[in-house]
C-alpha cells in the first residue's frame, strides 16, 4: 500500500466491474488504510490526483476545525459530546465529477471514543454511524468554507 503523498493516476483501478463499477485506489493515510474513489470516471488523471492531495492535506491542516464542526453537528444526537481530532477515523474519500471535471469531495469517517452517556440518542447515531463531510470544488480548488455535514448508517 502506497503512502498518500505518492498518489498517481496509475494507482486507480476499476473495482466491482460486474456490479457498480467504481474507480478506486487504496493509500496509507494517518497510519491507516484509506480508500479513494472517483465518481463517474473510468480513468484518473493528474487533476483528480491533485484534488485528492488537496483534500487530504486540508483534512490534516483543518483537523481541529473538522472536529469542532463534527462536534457541533453531533449535539443533536449526542448532547454534550466533545470530539477531538484524534477521534476522527477517516476511511474513505470520494471525488465527484461532472464531464470529467472535479466538482466536489466527500470524506467518510467514524467518530471513535465514548458512547456511554445515557443522554445520547444511540438509535440515531452510534459507533457504527458514518459522518459524511462534503466540500465543493471549483476550478480545481476546494472551497473549505462551504462544508456540508451529515450522518448515515448506509454503510453498515
Amino acid at each position: 500500500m502506497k503512502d498518500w503523498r505518492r498518489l498517481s493516476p496509475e494507482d486507480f483501478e476499476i473495482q466491482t466491474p460486474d456490479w457498480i463499477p467504481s474507480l478506486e485506489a487504496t493509500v496509507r493515510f494517518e497510519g491507516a488504510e484509506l480508500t479513494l474513489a472517483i465518481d463517474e470516471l473510468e480513468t484518473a488523471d493528474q487533476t483528480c490526483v491533485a484534488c485528492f492531495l488537496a483534500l487530504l492535506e486540508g483534512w490534516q491542516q483543518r483537523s481541529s476545525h473538522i472536529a469542532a464542526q463534527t462536534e457541533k453537528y453531533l449535539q443533536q444526537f449526542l448532547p454534550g459530546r466533545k470530539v477531538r481530532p484524534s477521534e476522527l477515523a477517516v476511511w474513505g474519500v470520494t471525488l465527484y465529477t461532472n464531464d470529467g471535471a472535479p466538482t466536489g469531495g466527500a470524506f467518510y469517517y467514524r467518530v471513535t471514543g465514548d458512547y456511554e452517556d445515557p443522554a445520547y440518542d444511540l438509535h440515531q447515531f452510534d459507533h457504527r454511524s458514518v459522518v459524511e463531510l462534503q466540500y465543493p470544488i471549483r476550478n480545481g480548488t476546494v472551497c473549505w468554507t462551504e462544508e456540508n455535514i451529515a450522518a448515515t448508517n448506509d454503510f453498515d
Side-chain angles (χ1 to χ4, degrees):
M1 183 176 11
K2 179 184 263 192
D3 183 83
W4 68 275
R5 291 175 196 90
R6 296 190 357 245
L7 183 67
S8 71
E10 293 76 30
D11 296 322
F12 288 88
E13 297 178 355
I14 295 289
Q15 302 296 319
T16 62
D18 296 332
W19 188 54
I20 299 174
S22 176
L23 187 60
E24 296 181 6
T26 302
V27 295
R28 186 175 31 260
F29 181 71
E30 298 184 341
E33 186 174 293
L34 177 66
T35 300
L36 307 176
I38 303 175
D39 185 53
E40 296 186 6
L41 283 183
E42 293 183 10
T43 59
D45 60 19
Q46 197 56 45
T47 301
C48 294
V49 168
C51 285
F52 275 117
L53 293 176
L55 286 163
L56 296 176
E57 287 170 1
W59 176 272
Q60 289 184 325
Q61 293 168 359
R62 292 167 175 79
S63 64
S64 293
H65 174 76
I66 292 170
Q69 288 300 106
T70 302
E71 180 179 298
K72 181 179 174 184
Y73 174 74
L74 291 183
Q75 293 308 298
Q76 60 189 313
F77 311 115
L78 311 174
R81 172 74 147 79
K82 301 295 182 198
V83 177
R84 295 184 310 271
S86 62
E87 293 178 310
L88 305 180
V90 63
W91 56 265
V93 180
T94 297
L95 183 68
Y96 294 100
T97 64
N98 186 10
D99 294 330
T103 59
F107 294 96
Y108 299 96
Y109 57 99
R110 297 190 191 285
V111 178
T112 64
D114 179 36
Y115 284 88
E116 300 301 317
D117 193 308
Y120 294 167
D121 192 1
L122 295 179
H123 74 282
Q124 292 290 324
F125 191 95
D126 62 22
H127 67 281
R128 294 173 309 218
S129 299
V130 174
V131 179
E132 180 178 351
L133 179 60
Q134 295 186 10
Y135 294 95
I137 296 174
R138 294 189 191 95
N139 299 318
T141 302
V142 180
C143 302
W144 294 108
T145 59
E146 299 179 39
E147 68 258 10
N148 183 24
I149 192 167
T152 182
N153 288 324
D154 288 348
F155 295 99
D156 286 343

